[in-house]
Amino acid sequence: HNSITVEGNFAVTGPDGRRTVFDRPIPAAAVLAERLSAEVTDAVVAQPGTVSLTLSDGYRIDVHDSNDGYESYSLNLGDRLVIV
């Protein structure tokens, strides 16, 4: 299965265009929990170090390489592991 683990900053943009940046897990938990049933319909490298995930419910999650010298996020893509 595929998964992403985020340890840095990320932003969530709703269908209405409202963008919220999170740098801590607790405030992000409710927003992310509401997205659990959504499927990823598109995933792109928006810019070096930033992965943008578009969800089936109209939301977009942008994960940034925000921790110099440390892991910001990791992608588990089946048998491949990508650490950024």
Side-chain angles (χ1 to χ4, degrees), residues 14-74:
D16 60 0
R18 193 175 120 211
R19 184 174 192 259
T20 306
V21 177
F22 296 97
D23 61 0
R24 296 189 180 146
I26 299 299
V31 172
L32 294 178
E34 293 172 354
R35 311 277 75 75
L36 287 177
S37 63
E39 294 182 18
V40 174
T41 59
D42 192 35
V44 297
V45 176
Q47 60 186 1
T50 299
V51 171
S52 181
L53 306 173
T54 302
L55 306 179
S56 60
D57 63 0
Y59 279 77
R60 187 182 76 235
I61 300 174
D62 298 310
V63 184
H64 310 286
D65 183 7
S66 58
N67 292 326
D68 291 337
Y70 297 96
E71 293 178 19
S72 293
Y73 60 91
S74 61

